[in-house]
Amino acid sequence: MSLIHWTHFPPLGDERGSLVALEGGKTVPFPIQRVYYLFGTKLGVSRGFHAHKKLQQVAVCVTGRCRMVLDDGQKREEVWLDTPTQGLLIGNMVWREMHDFSHDCVLLVLASNHYDENDYIRNYEEFIRLAEK
Ligand code: TYD
């Protein structure tokens, strides 16, 4: 089964432009406890390189584009995030890397919990060990 799962955010558009509303428990499949966004990422910089033990996230590229790599320890898949009406679901125990940020990229992330450094797995070998269990 693919690691790439999208949730669609229907745009509420009219002649003035578009509006997207994100609702926890609806288009975002968990209660949203935290929102953060990456912007101003320098050219050539890659980010992520971690998995989470429990945290679930949805990533949506509001402006610009970046390339997301997901890895569950068995397979590695990649996808471009470049549309504000599609959110990428990133479950727990999935290694993620973000590459090729455009200079204007704003990557919005909705998270199922507050920030907790103890929930991170930042070492790839440790991730593989835990993913095999
Ligand atoms: P980090 O998760 O390492 O960024 P990325 O994986 O996207 O490269 O986070 C960078 C720094 O920001 C790190 O010191 C932790 C801090 N941080 C918070 O304080 N709160 C948060 O919600 C997040 C996501 C990061």
Side-chain angles (χ1 to χ4, degrees):
M1 206 170 81
S2 173
L3 292 173
I4 310 299
H5 301 285
W6 298 101
T7 178
H8 182 61
F9 306 131
L12 309 169
D14 57 27
E15 66 286 350
R16 296 169 299 174
S18 301
L19 181 155
V20 164
L22 309 176
E23 295 191 78
K26 292 188 176 175
T27 44
V28 175
F30 47 76
I32 301 164
Q33 293 276 19
R34 177 165 51 112
V35 176
Y36 64 92
Y37 41 96
L38 306 179
F39 62 100
T41 307
K42 303 278 184 280
L43 271 185
V45 167
S46 294
R47 303 197 57 144
F49 300 96
H50 64 254
H52 287 281
K53 294 173 193 162
K54 296 209 172 117
L55 191 72
Q56 300 178 63
Q57 295 183 300
V58 168
V60 51
C61 195
V62 176
T63 294
R65 68 198 314 236
C66 69
R67 184 168 58 90
M68 180 77 78
V69 173
L70 298 182
D71 178 337
D72 66 357
Q74 303 278 329
K75 56 188 175 300
R76 221 172 158 81
E77 294 181 24
E78 62 174 55
V79 70
W80 282 96
L81 299 186
D82 57 6
T83 164
T85 55
Q86 292 279 108
L88 183 69
L89 301 164
I90 310 174
N92 64 315
M93 289 308 286
V94 174
W95 183 265
R96 85 285 317 268
E97 300 172 7
M98 290 152 279
H99 304 279
D100 301 330
F101 285 85
S102 62
H103 70 94
D104 60 342
C105 181
V106 178
L107 184 65
L108 179 72
V109 184
L110 313 162
S112 65
N113 225 323
H114 295 154
Y115 175 73
D116 175 10
E117 186 58 36
N118 293 322
D119 188 64
Y120 279 72
I121 307 165
R122 293 190 182 274
N123 178 285
Y124 187 72
E125 282 70 39
E126 183 191 355
F127 166 69
I128 293 296
R129 268 199 307 279
L130 291 170
E132 277 170 358
K133 280 186 187 161

mmCIF file of all heavy atoms in Angstrom, residues 66-104:
data_model
loop_
_atom_site.group_PDB
_atom_site.id
_atom_site.type_symbol
_atom_site.label_atom_id
_atom_site.label_comp_id
_atom_site.label_asym_id
_atom_site.label_seq_id
_atom_site.Cartn_x
_atom_site.Cartn_y
_atom_site.Cartn_z
ATOM 1 N N CYS A 66 7.557 22.033 -2.531
ATOM 2 C CA CYS A 66 8.703 21.290 -2.009
ATOM 3 C C CYS A 66 8.450 19.809 -2.269
ATOM 4 O O CYS A 66 7.330 19.402 -2.579
ATOM 5 C CB CYS A 66 8.949 21.558 -0.522
ATOM 6 S SG CYS A 66 7.697 20.897 0.582
ATOM 7 N N ARG A 67 9.503 19.037 -2.170
ATOM 8 C CA ARG A 67 9.410 17.593 -2.442
ATOM 9 C C ARG A 67 9.492 16.850 -1.114
ATOM 10 O O ARG A 67 10.435 17.055 -0.347
ATOM 11 C CB ARG A 67 10.573 17.188 -3.369
ATOM 12 C CG ARG A 67 10.555 15.742 -3.824
ATOM 13 C CD ARG A 67 11.566 15.529 -4.950
ATOM 14 N NE ARG A 67 12.926 15.894 -4.555
ATOM 15 C CZ ARG A 67 13.809 15.060 -4.000
ATOM 16 N NH1 ARG A 67 13.483 13.807 -3.744
ATOM 17 N NH2 ARG A 67 15.027 15.490 -3.694
ATOM 18 N N MET A 68 8.478 16.028 -0.857
ATOM 19 C CA MET A 68 8.419 15.281 0.400
ATOM 20 C C MET A 68 8.790 13.830 0.140
ATOM 21 O O MET A 68 8.243 13.202 -0.773
ATOM 22 C CB MET A 68 7.000 15.357 0.960
ATOM 23 C CG MET A 68 6.789 14.626 2.261
ATOM 24 S SD MET A 68 7.420 15.485 3.712
ATOM 25 C CE MET A 68 6.146 16.707 3.990
ATOM 26 N N VAL A 69 9.701 13.300 0.922
ATOM 27 C CA VAL A 69 10.067 11.881 0.870
ATOM 28 C C VAL A 69 9.515 11.228 2.130
ATOM 29 O O VAL A 69 9.741 11.733 3.242
ATOM 30 C CB VAL A 69 11.603 11.710 0.800
ATOM 31 C CG1 VAL A 69 11.983 10.240 0.913
ATOM 32 C CG2 VAL A 69 12.154 12.320 -0.482
ATOM 33 N N LEU A 70 8.772 10.143 1.949
ATOM 34 C CA LEU A 70 8.256 9.378 3.089
ATOM 35 C C LEU A 70 8.820 7.966 3.034
ATOM 36 O O LEU A 70 9.003 7.392 1.949
ATOM 37 C CB LEU A 70 6.721 9.319 3.049
ATOM 38 C CG LEU A 70 5.970 10.648 3.157
ATOM 39 C CD1 LEU A 70 4.465 10.404 3.141
ATOM 40 C CD2 LEU A 70 6.369 11.425 4.396
ATOM 41 N N ASP A 71 9.080 7.406 4.195
ATOM 42 C CA ASP A 71 9.751 6.111 4.286
ATOM 43 C C ASP A 71 9.193 5.407 5.527
ATOM 44 O O ASP A 71 9.219 5.970 6.630
ATOM 45 C CB ASP A 71 11.257 6.393 4.423
ATOM 46 C CG ASP A 71 12.118 5.155 4.575
ATOM 47 O OD1 ASP A 71 11.609 4.110 5.014
ATOM 48 O OD2 ASP A 71 13.323 5.264 4.305
ATOM 49 N N ASP A 72 8.635 4.206 5.350
ATOM 50 C CA ASP A 72 8.096 3.486 6.513
ATOM 51 C C ASP A 72 9.031 2.377 6.984
ATOM 52 O O ASP A 72 8.634 1.513 7.772
ATOM 53 C CB ASP A 72 6.695 2.921 6.212
ATOM 54 C CG ASP A 72 6.720 1.833 5.143
ATOM 55 O OD1 ASP A 72 7.794 1.546 4.581
ATOM 56 O OD2 ASP A 72 5.648 1.265 4.865
ATOM 57 N N GLY A 73 10.251 2.395 6.477
ATOM 58 C CA GLY A 73 11.217 1.359 6.857
ATOM 59 C C GLY A 73 11.231 0.211 5.862
ATOM 60 O O GLY A 73 12.187 -0.568 5.820
ATOM 61 N N GLN A 74 10.175 0.104 5.047
ATOM 62 C CA GLN A 74 10.070 -0.937 4.017
ATOM 63 C C GLN A 74 10.255 -0.338 2.637
ATOM 64 O O GLN A 74 10.875 -0.921 1.765
ATOM 65 C CB GLN A 74 8.676 -1.586 4.054
ATOM 66 C CG GLN A 74 8.282 -2.191 5.381
ATOM 67 C CD GLN A 74 8.857 -3.567 5.558
ATOM 68 O OE1 GLN A 74 9.043 -4.285 4.586
ATOM 69 N NE2 GLN A 74 9.171 -3.924 6.788
ATOM 70 N N LYS A 75 9.635 0.827 2.452
ATOM 71 C CA LYS A 75 9.693 1.465 1.147
ATOM 72 C C LYS A 75 9.793 2.971 1.321
ATOM 73 O O LYS A 75 9.486 3.515 2.391
ATOM 74 C CB LYS A 75 8.470 1.101 0.299
ATOM 75 C CG LYS A 75 7.153 1.427 0.941
ATOM 76 C CD LYS A 75 6.018 0.855 0.121
ATOM 77 C CE LYS A 75 4.669 1.062 0.787
ATOM 78 N NZ LYS A 75 4.544 0.444 2.117
ATOM 79 N N ARG A 76 10.242 3.596 0.231
ATOM 80 C CA ARG A 76 10.471 5.032 0.208
ATOM 81 C C ARG A 76 9.692 5.596 -0.974
ATOM 82 O O ARG A 76 9.806 5.079 -2.088
ATOM 83 C CB ARG A 76 11.971 5.247 -0.019
ATOM 84 C CG ARG A 76 12.611 6.321 0.758
ATOM 85 C CD ARG A 76 14.116 6.258 0.567
ATOM 86 N NE ARG A 76 14.689 7.538 0.869
ATOM 87 C CZ ARG A 76 14.956 7.959 2.090
ATOM 88 N NH1 ARG A 76 14.731 7.178 3.131
ATOM 89 N NH2 ARG A 76 15.449 9.158 2.292
ATOM 90 N N GLU A 77 8.893 6.609 -0.727
ATOM 91 C CA GLU A 77 8.116 7.221 -1.814
ATOM 92 C C GLU A 77 8.270 8.724 -1.708
ATOM 93 O O GLU A 77 8.532 9.263 -0.639
ATOM 94 C CB GLU A 77 6.640 6.830 -1.707
ATOM 95 C CG GLU A 77 6.411 5.352 -1.939
ATOM 96 C CD GLU A 77 4.931 4.965 -1.846
ATOM 97 O OE1 GLU A 77 4.067 5.822 -2.050
ATOM 98 O OE2 GLU A 77 4.686 3.796 -1.554
ATOM 99 N N GLU A 78 8.102 9.397 -2.861
ATOM 100 C CA GLU A 78 8.224 10.849 -2.822
ATOM 101 C C GLU A 78 7.110 11.496 -3.610
ATOM 102 O O GLU A 78 6.528 10.889 -4.517
ATOM 103 C CB GLU A 78 9.581 11.299 -3.331
ATOM 104 C CG GLU A 78 9.861 10.952 -4.770
ATOM 105 C CD GLU A 78 11.158 11.570 -5.235
ATOM 106 O OE1 GLU A 78 12.185 11.326 -4.585
ATOM 107 O OE2 GLU A 78 11.134 12.295 -6.241
ATOM 108 N N VAL A 79 6.835 12.738 -3.249
ATOM 109 C CA VAL A 79 5.728 13.440 -3.873
ATOM 110 C C VAL A 79 6.015 14.940 -3.779
ATOM 111 O O VAL A 79 6.679 15.391 -2.847
ATOM 112 C CB VAL A 79 4.407 13.052 -3.158
ATOM 113 C CG1 VAL A 79 4.332 13.629 -1.764
ATOM 114 C CG2 VAL A 79 3.211 13.413 -3.968
ATOM 115 N N TRP A 80 5.539 15.678 -4.786
ATOM 116 C CA TRP A 80 5.660 17.139 -4.726
ATOM 117 C C TRP A 80 4.448 17.707 -3.995
ATOM 118 O O TRP A 80 3.312 17.316 -4.279
ATOM 119 C CB TRP A 80 5.719 17.728 -6.139
ATOM 120 C CG TRP A 80 7.066 17.560 -6.756
ATOM 121 C CD1 TRP A 80 7.461 16.565 -7.603
ATOM 122 C CD2 TRP A 80 8.206 18.408 -6.565
ATOM 123 N NE1 TRP A 80 8.775 16.739 -7.943
ATOM 124 C CE2 TRP A 80 9.258 17.857 -7.330
ATOM 125 C CE3 TRP A 80 8.435 19.571 -5.822
ATOM 126 C CZ2 TRP A 80 10.526 18.433 -7.375
ATOM 127 C CZ3 TRP A 80 9.700 20.140 -5.864
ATOM 128 C CH2 TRP A 80 10.720 19.569 -6.631
ATOM 129 N N LEU A 81 4.693 18.592 -3.058
ATOM 130 C CA LEU A 81 3.617 19.354 -2.425
ATOM 131 C C LEU A 81 3.598 20.721 -3.101
ATOM 132 O O LEU A 81 4.577 21.481 -2.995
ATOM 133 C CB LEU A 81 3.895 19.533 -0.928
ATOM 134 C CG LEU A 81 4.004 18.265 -0.084
ATOM 135 C CD1 LEU A 81 4.132 18.636 1.380
ATOM 136 C CD2 LEU A 81 2.827 17.363 -0.299
ATOM 137 N N ASP A 82 2.536 21.004 -3.816
ATOM 138 C CA ASP A 82 2.494 22.259 -4.567
ATOM 139 C C ASP A 82 1.075 22.777 -4.770
ATOM 140 O O ASP A 82 0.836 23.594 -5.651
ATOM 141 C CB ASP A 82 3.189 22.100 -5.928
ATOM 142 C CG ASP A 82 2.583 20.987 -6.771
ATOM 143 O OD1 ASP A 82 1.560 20.417 -6.356
ATOM 144 O OD2 ASP A 82 3.139 20.698 -7.844
ATOM 145 N N THR A 83 0.138 22.263 -3.952
ATOM 146 C CA THR A 83 -1.227 22.778 -4.102
ATOM 147 C C THR A 83 -1.876 23.039 -2.740
ATOM 148 O O THR A 83 -1.808 22.183 -1.845
ATOM 149 C CB THR A 83 -2.103 21.833 -4.959
ATOM 150 O OG1 THR A 83 -3.480 22.180 -4.751
ATOM 151 C CG2 THR A 83 -1.924 20.386 -4.607
ATOM 152 N N PRO A 84 -2.474 24.223 -2.577
ATOM 153 C CA PRO A 84 -3.044 24.587 -1.272
ATOM 154 C C PRO A 84 -4.359 23.884 -0.955
ATOM 155 O O PRO A 84 -4.918 24.094 0.118
ATOM 156 C CB PRO A 84 -3.250 26.108 -1.389
ATOM 157 C CG PRO A 84 -3.302 26.396 -2.846
ATOM 158 C CD PRO A 84 -2.509 25.335 -3.546
ATOM 159 N N THR A 85 -4.844 23.049 -1.889
ATOM 160 C CA THR A 85 -6.116 22.354 -1.629
ATOM 161 C C THR A 85 -5.921 20.868 -1.350
ATOM 162 O O THR A 85 -6.890 20.115 -1.279
ATOM 163 C CB THR A 85 -7.082 22.522 -2.824
ATOM 164 O OG1 THR A 85 -6.413 22.062 -4.001
ATOM 165 C CG2 THR A 85 -7.496 23.965 -2.992
ATOM 166 N N GLN A 86 -4.649 20.449 -1.192
ATOM 167 C CA GLN A 86 -4.373 19.041 -0.908
ATOM 168 C C GLN A 86 -3.439 18.951 0.296
ATOM 169 O O GLN A 86 -2.352 19.537 0.299
ATOM 170 C CB GLN A 86 -3.654 18.383 -2.096
ATOM 171 C CG GLN A 86 -4.491 18.234 -3.357
ATOM 172 C CD GLN A 86 -5.400 17.035 -3.284
ATOM 173 O OE1 GLN A 86 -6.614 17.195 -3.133
ATOM 174 N NE2 GLN A 86 -4.865 15.848 -3.362
ATOM 175 N N GLY A 87 -3.844 18.183 1.298
ATOM 176 C CA GLY A 87 -2.982 17.972 2.458
ATOM 177 C C GLY A 87 -2.420 16.558 2.427
ATOM 178 O O GLY A 87 -3.155 15.604 2.122
ATOM 179 N N LEU A 88 -1.152 16.428 2.726
ATOM 180 C CA LEU A 88 -0.519 15.107 2.775
ATOM 181 C C LEU A 88 -0.587 14.587 4.208
ATOM 182 O O LEU A 88 -0.125 15.255 5.146
ATOM 183 C CB LEU A 88 0.939 15.203 2.313
ATOM 184 C CG LEU A 88 1.692 13.879 2.256
ATOM 185 C CD1 LEU A 88 1.149 12.992 1.129
ATOM 186 C CD2 LEU A 88 3.193 14.108 2.066
ATOM 187 N N LEU A 89 -1.173 13.402 4.373
ATOM 188 C CA LEU A 89 -1.262 12.791 5.704
ATOM 189 C C LEU A 89 0.057 12.088 6.009
ATOM 190 O O LEU A 89 0.530 11.281 5.210
ATOM 191 C CB LEU A 89 -2.389 11.764 5.733
ATOM 192 C CG LEU A 89 -3.781 12.294 5.399
ATOM 193 C CD1 LEU A 89 -4.730 11.149 5.078
ATOM 194 C CD2 LEU A 89 -4.315 13.091 6.581
ATOM 195 N N ILE A 90 0.613 12.398 7.154
ATOM 196 C CA ILE A 90 1.862 11.744 7.565
ATOM 197 C C ILE A 90 1.609 11.109 8.919
ATOM 198 O O ILE A 90 1.468 11.802 9.939
ATOM 199 C CB ILE A 90 3.031 12.754 7.645
ATOM 200 C CG1 ILE A 90 3.112 13.577 6.354
ATOM 201 C CG2 ILE A 90 4.351 12.020 7.902
ATOM 202 C CD1 ILE A 90 4.149 14.691 6.413
ATOM 203 N N GLY A 91 1.498 9.804 8.911
ATOM 204 C CA GLY A 91 1.180 9.071 10.135
ATOM 205 C C GLY A 91 2.396 8.941 11.046
ATOM 206 O O GLY A 91 3.511 9.347 10.706
ATOM 207 N N ASN A 92 2.169 8.336 12.186
ATOM 208 C CA ASN A 92 3.291 8.067 13.090
ATOM 209 C C ASN A 92 4.170 6.971 12.489
ATOM 210 O O ASN A 92 3.740 6.224 11.601
ATOM 211 C CB ASN A 92 2.780 7.689 14.479
ATOM 212 C CG ASN A 92 1.984 6.408 14.460
ATOM 213 O OD1 ASN A 92 1.131 6.204 13.602
ATOM 214 N ND2 ASN A 92 2.237 5.534 15.398
ATOM 215 N N MET A 93 5.389 6.896 12.941
ATOM 216 C CA MET A 93 6.374 5.915 12.471
ATOM 217 C C MET A 93 6.578 5.979 10.951
ATOM 218 O O MET A 93 6.710 4.949 10.284
ATOM 219 C CB MET A 93 6.005 4.500 12.930
ATOM 220 C CG MET A 93 6.190 4.286 14.423
ATOM 221 S SD MET A 93 7.834 4.757 15.034
ATOM 222 C CE MET A 93 8.836 3.420 14.396
ATOM 223 N N VAL A 94 6.591 7.191 10.442
ATOM 224 C CA VAL A 94 6.963 7.418 9.035
ATOM 225 C C VAL A 94 8.098 8.440 9.020
ATOM 226 O O VAL A 94 7.945 9.553 9.534
ATOM 227 C CB VAL A 94 5.769 7.926 8.189
ATOM 228 C CG1 VAL A 94 6.223 8.301 6.781
ATOM 229 C CG2 VAL A 94 4.663 6.876 8.137
ATOM 230 N N TRP A 95 9.232 8.031 8.443
ATOM 231 C CA TRP A 95 10.381 8.930 8.296
ATOM 232 C C TRP A 95 10.075 9.930 7.194
ATOM 233 O O TRP A 95 9.560 9.551 6.136
ATOM 234 C CB TRP A 95 11.595 8.087 7.920
ATOM 235 C CG TRP A 95 12.880 8.844 7.809
ATOM 236 C CD1 TRP A 95 13.420 9.364 6.673
ATOM 237 C CD2 TRP A 95 13.792 9.143 8.871
ATOM 238 N NE1 TRP A 95 14.615 9.987 6.966
ATOM 239 C CE2 TRP A 95 14.863 9.860 8.300
ATOM 240 C CE3 TRP A 95 13.801 8.882 10.241
ATOM 241 C CZ2 TRP A 95 15.939 10.305 9.055
ATOM 242 C CZ3 TRP A 95 14.878 9.334 10.999
ATOM 243 C CH2 TRP A 95 15.937 10.025 10.415
ATOM 244 N N ARG A 96 10.326 11.225 7.437
ATOM 245 C CA ARG A 96 10.058 12.221 6.414
ATOM 246 C C ARG A 96 11.261 13.112 6.181
ATOM 247 O O ARG A 96 12.023 13.427 7.105
ATOM 248 C CB ARG A 96 8.807 13.058 6.733
ATOM 249 C CG ARG A 96 8.931 14.273 7.626
ATOM 250 C CD ARG A 96 9.102 13.927 9.095
ATOM 251 N NE ARG A 96 8.241 12.859 9.570
ATOM 252 C CZ ARG A 96 7.046 13.058 10.106
ATOM 253 N NH1 ARG A 96 6.595 14.289 10.250
ATOM 254 N NH2 ARG A 96 6.352 12.049 10.568
ATOM 255 N N GLU A 97 11.423 13.455 4.899
ATOM 256 C CA GLU A 97 12.461 14.410 4.500
ATOM 257 C C GLU A 97 11.826 15.389 3.530
ATOM 258 O O GLU A 97 11.000 14.992 2.712
ATOM 259 C CB GLU A 97 13.608 13.696 3.771
ATOM 260 C CG GLU A 97 14.291 12.647 4.620
ATOM 261 C CD GLU A 97 15.302 11.818 3.820
ATOM 262 O OE1 GLU A 97 15.559 12.151 2.635
ATOM 263 O OE2 GLU A 97 15.810 10.841 4.374
ATOM 264 N N MET A 98 12.209 16.643 3.639
ATOM 265 C CA MET A 98 11.697 17.657 2.721
ATOM 266 C C MET A 98 12.859 18.284 1.982
ATOM 267 O O MET A 98 13.843 18.704 2.597
ATOM 268 C CB MET A 98 10.923 18.722 3.492
ATOM 269 C CG MET A 98 9.608 18.204 4.050
ATOM 270 S SD MET A 98 9.111 19.081 5.520
ATOM 271 C CE MET A 98 10.071 18.279 6.759
ATOM 272 N N HIS A 99 12.741 18.299 0.656
ATOM 273 C CA HIS A 99 13.817 18.774 -0.213
ATOM 274 C C HIS A 99 13.272 19.785 -1.228
ATOM 275 O O HIS A 99 12.060 19.859 -1.446
ATOM 276 C CB HIS A 99 14.412 17.606 -1.010
ATOM 277 C CG HIS A 99 14.907 16.465 -0.178
ATOM 278 N ND1 HIS A 99 16.133 16.463 0.453
ATOM 279 C CD2 HIS A 99 14.334 15.272 0.136
ATOM 280 C CE1 HIS A 99 16.307 15.299 1.101
ATOM 281 N NE2 HIS A 99 15.225 14.567 0.928
ATOM 282 N N ASP A 100 14.200 20.454 -1.895
ATOM 283 C CA ASP A 100 13.880 21.294 -3.068
ATOM 284 C C ASP A 100 12.783 22.322 -2.785
ATOM 285 O O ASP A 100 11.854 22.498 -3.585
ATOM 286 C CB ASP A 100 13.467 20.401 -4.268
ATOM 287 C CG ASP A 100 14.562 19.417 -4.648
ATOM 288 O OD1 ASP A 100 15.747 19.748 -4.441
ATOM 289 O OD2 ASP A 100 14.234 18.317 -5.135
ATOM 290 N N PHE A 101 12.898 22.993 -1.643
ATOM 291 C CA PHE A 101 11.947 24.070 -1.338
ATOM 292 C C PHE A 101 12.117 25.204 -2.349
ATOM 293 O O PHE A 101 13.251 25.655 -2.591
ATOM 294 C CB PHE A 101 12.246 24.653 0.052
ATOM 295 C CG PHE A 101 11.831 23.787 1.204
ATOM 296 C CD1 PHE A 101 12.677 22.783 1.675
ATOM 297 C CD2 PHE A 101 10.620 23.995 1.841
ATOM 298 C CE1 PHE A 101 12.313 21.999 2.760
ATOM 299 C CE2 PHE A 101 10.245 23.210 2.927
ATOM 300 C CZ PHE A 101 11.088 22.207 3.380
ATOM 301 N N SER A 102 11.013 25.658 -2.920
ATOM 302 C CA SER A 102 11.093 26.877 -3.722
ATOM 303 C C SER A 102 11.257 28.059 -2.754
ATOM 304 O O SER A 102 10.891 27.956 -1.571
ATOM 305 C CB SER A 102 9.839 27.040 -4.589
ATOM 306 O OG SER A 102 8.684 27.153 -3.780
ATOM 307 N N HIS A 103 11.800 29.162 -3.260
ATOM 308 C CA HIS A 103 12.117 30.280 -2.359
ATOM 309 C C HIS A 103 10.855 30.827 -1.684
ATOM 310 O O HIS A 103 10.903 31.363 -0.583
ATOM 311 C CB HIS A 103 12.847 31.393 -3.125
ATOM 312 C CG HIS A 103 11.957 32.097 -4.093
ATOM 313 N ND1 HIS A 103 11.277 33.254 -3.771
ATOM 314 C CD2 HIS A 103 11.585 31.777 -5.355
ATOM 315 C CE1 HIS A 103 10.537 33.609 -4.805
ATOM 316 N NE2 HIS A 103 10.712 32.737 -5.778
ATOM 317 N N ASP A 104 9.694 30.646 -2.363
ATOM 318 C CA ASP A 104 8.439 31.192 -1.831
ATOM 319 C C ASP A 104 7.618 30.149 -1.078
ATOM 320 O O ASP A 104 6.466 30.411 -0.711
ATOM 321 C CB ASP A 104 7.590 31.769 -2.976
ATOM 322 C CG ASP A 104 7.234 30.713 -4.033
ATOM 323 O OD1 ASP A 104 7.899 29.655 -4.072
ATOM 324 O OD2 ASP A 104 6.315 30.953 -4.823
#
